[in-house]
């Protein structure tokens, strides 16, 4: 048994002072407050202890370089795996102890998951989707997940489940990085989307829909997807909130995964930059309507999105009208719940995995403190 002392604790839900967290093996066994700490306790000093962060939308096979897609085409799966390990390690050292990989090639993220599972202190807990399901020559088709028709989709989901994936990812619309696809156009019929979500749930897996446009978001909610990725309400010539669809989202159990966060000083996708104020207003409307929302990064897809950018994403969440504690929940307890791992991740409480982050200062009042990392524990082992 090991005791860890800090000045403050955000446990994934609320904030308290003078915690002593007791860890046995890879698990938190209890949390005490204010009493005397054991003589051999590790005193982290004037830090805030938090659950390790959960980035519920990342891409470990994209290298966050100048052209991640070209680089992906240029290397084989073994080289992709080596790069994915570098990316995951970078995330871990920033306190991101759980990453949900929403699209790889060759099930590389599953191979990495196995490596880290054998030695948890070497990397974050990986939740992996494998190659995302897309229409023939649809968004990210070159990752290997092309499929069509209700029967084809059910077979593809079953195959992914048999491989051992943690989540089924469906590209419901096109995307920016695939020429010939459009982010505002649906790639699948409502029947195909419903089959994908239903088959995922039949295998006990959550389903995540990449959906940029109002019709796609509505179809994903109707289909029963657990998360809508992006949720940006893009149109042919910009972006525009659809109050009816926002109402549908708010009335559903579907969680919007807002992919945010940009490393300062790096070039940002010009379309995203031009739409920045509009997208902020759209997310504000969603929050005001009561849409459940988490904050994720889409790390890897360009140079502004290294695999440790999540702290900047949490900071952007404040633009939508919530305070720092809500932003912290959106990258800890709420994110874990949206990924289906809310019973083991995203909280500092008895029975939870001892994945911990310590930062200087108090991120519950100044979210920027998330970037001042002082210690990271993965499965009870200090890795930074
Ligand atoms: Zn993505």
């Amino acid at each position: 048994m090991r005791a860890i002392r800090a000045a403050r604790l955000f446990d994934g839900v609320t904030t308290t002072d003078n915690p002593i967290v007791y860890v046995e093996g890879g698990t938190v066994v209890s949390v005490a407050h204010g009493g005397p700490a054991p003589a051999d306790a590790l005193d982290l000093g004037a830090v805030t202890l938090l659950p390790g962060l959960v980035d519920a939308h990342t891409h470990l096979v994209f290298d966050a370089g100048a052209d991640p897609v070209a680089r992906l085409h240029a290397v084989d799966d073994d080289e992709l795996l080596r790069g994915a390990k570098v990316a995951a390690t970078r995330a871990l050292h920033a306190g991101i102890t759980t990453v949900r990989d929403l699209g790889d090639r060759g099930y590389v993220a599953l191979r990495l998951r196995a490596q880290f599972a054998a030695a948890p202190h070497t990397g974050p807990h990986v939740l992996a989707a494998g190659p995302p399901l897309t229409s023939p020559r649809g968004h990210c088709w070159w990752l290997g997940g092309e499929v069509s028709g209700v029967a084809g989709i059910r077979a593809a989901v079953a195959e992914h489940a048999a491989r051992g994936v943690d989540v089924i990812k469906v590209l419901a619309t096109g995307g920016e990085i695939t020429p010939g696809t459009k982010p505002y156009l649906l790639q699948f019929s409502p029947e195909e989307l419903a089959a994908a979500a239903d088959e995922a749930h039949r295998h006990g897996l959550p389903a995540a829909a990449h959906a940029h446009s109002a019709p796609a978001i509505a179809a994903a909610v109707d289909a029963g997807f657990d998360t809508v990725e992006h949720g940006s309400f893009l149109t042919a010539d910009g972006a525009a909130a659809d109050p009816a669809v926002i109402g549908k989202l708010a009335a559903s159990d579907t969680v919007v995964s807002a992919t945010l966060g940009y490393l300062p000083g790096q070039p940002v996708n010009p379309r995203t930059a031009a739409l920045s104020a509009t997208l902020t207003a759209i997310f504000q409307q969603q929050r005001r309507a009561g849409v459940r929302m988490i904050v994720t990064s889409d790390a890897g897809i360009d140079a502004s999105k290294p695999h440790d950018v999540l702290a900047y994403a949490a900071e952007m969440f404040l633009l939508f009208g919530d305070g720092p504690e809500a932003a912290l929940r959106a990258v800890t307890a709420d994110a874990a719940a949206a990924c289906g791992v809310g019973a083991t991740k995203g909280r500092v409480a008895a029975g939870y995995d001892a994945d911990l982050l310590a930062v200087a200062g108090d991120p519950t009042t100044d979210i920027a403190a998330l970037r001042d990392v002082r210690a990271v524990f993965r499965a009870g082992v200090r890795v930074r």
Side-chain angles (χ1 to χ4, degrees):
M1 182 100 82
R2 177 182 200 185
I4 302 170
R5 231 211 109 257
R8 191 165 287 108
L9 171 70
F10 172 77
D11 70 3
V13 180
T14 57
T15 307
T16 50
D17 287 331
N18 299 314
I20 305 163
V21 177
Y22 291 89
V23 172
E24 177 95 72
T27 306
V28 172
V29 290
S30 66
V31 180
H33 290 282
D40 62 349
L42 172 65
D43 190 344
L44 293 173
V47 303
T48 300
L49 201 57
L50 305 101
L53 307 183
V54 178
D55 190 343
H57 186 146
T58 186
H59 297 279
L60 298 171
V61 295
F62 291 155
D63 71 347
D67 192 343
V69 178
R71 185 253 175 193
L72 176 125
H73 290 320
V75 302
D76 65 13
D77 286 356
D78 289 339
E79 186 59 30
L80 274 188
L81 177 60
R82 278 189 285 276
K85 191 166 187 176
V86 171
T89 303
R90 183 168 175 155
L92 178 66
H93 286 170
I96 302 162
T97 52
T98 300
V99 296
R100 185 166 80 156
D101 188 283
L102 285 186
D104 68 9
R105 187 185 73 195
Y107 293 92
V108 160
L110 278 189
R111 291 166 63 188
L112 191 61
R113 183 185 72 182
Q115 286 186 10
F116 291 157
H121 61 282
T122 62
H125 187 106
V126 176
L127 302 166
L133 305 193
T134 192
S135 56
R137 289 299 182 268
H139 182 34
C140 293
W141 62 269
W142 26 262
L143 291 176
E146 290 175 289
V147 64
S148 66
V150 165
I153 283 173
R154 285 197 183 273
V157 172
E159 192 214 325
H160 279 62
R163 288 277 203 144
V165 300
D166 302 287
V167 54
I168 297 296
K169 168 82 177 297
V170 180
L171 297 168
T173 65
E176 297 280 346
I177 61 172
T178 308
T181 76
K182 299 291 184 194
Y184 55 90
L185 292 182
L186 271 162
Q187 302 197 135
F188 289 112
S189 69
E191 294 74 25
E192 288 171 321
L193 291 175
D198 179 64
E199 191 70 21
H201 293 155
R202 230 172 50 78
H203 287 91
L205 299 172
H210 159 105
H212 275 300
S213 67
I217 294 165
V221 172
D222 286 339
F225 277 84
D226 300 275
T227 59
V228 159
E229 305 298 324
H230 309 301
S232 44
F233 286 85
L234 297 187
T235 60
D237 53 6
D242 182 325
V245 175
I246 289 177
K248 180 196 277 281
L249 257 177
S252 76
D253 291 330
T254 302
V255 176
V256 168
S257 158
T259 51
L260 306 169
Y262 306 93
L263 188 67
Q266 292 295 323
V268 171
N269 175 322
R271 183 175 153 92
T272 307
L275 284 176
S276 154
T278 307
L279 291 173
T280 297
I282 290 169
F283 285 123
Q284 284 170 347
Q285 269 178 267
Q286 294 187 55
R287 286 301 284 172
R288 277 201 298 274
V291 171
R292 298 201 289 155
M293 196 177 290
I294 61 170
V295 184
T296 61
S297 71
D298 214 1
I301 60 163
D302 66 36
S304 74
K305 288 184 166 292
H307 292 86
D308 56 359
V309 81
L310 186 65
Y312 289 99
E315 199 162 335
M316 284 181 72
F317 191 66
L318 301 184
L319 299 173
F320 310 151
D322 291 277
E325 279 199 349
L328 293 175
R329 283 194 291 273
V331 291
T332 57
D334 292 352
C339 295
V341 294
T344 51
K345 303 289 185 185
R347 297 281 310 277
V348 181
Y352 279 76
D353 291 352
D355 295 346
L356 308 169
L357 163 64
V359 300
D362 183 2
T364 67
T365 55
D366 174 13
I367 193 82
L370 267 190
R371 301 199 303 269
D372 195 352
V373 175
R374 296 305 168 93
V376 177
F377 299 81
R378 168 77 182 101
V381 177
R382 189 168 185 175
V383 297
R384 176 173 172 178

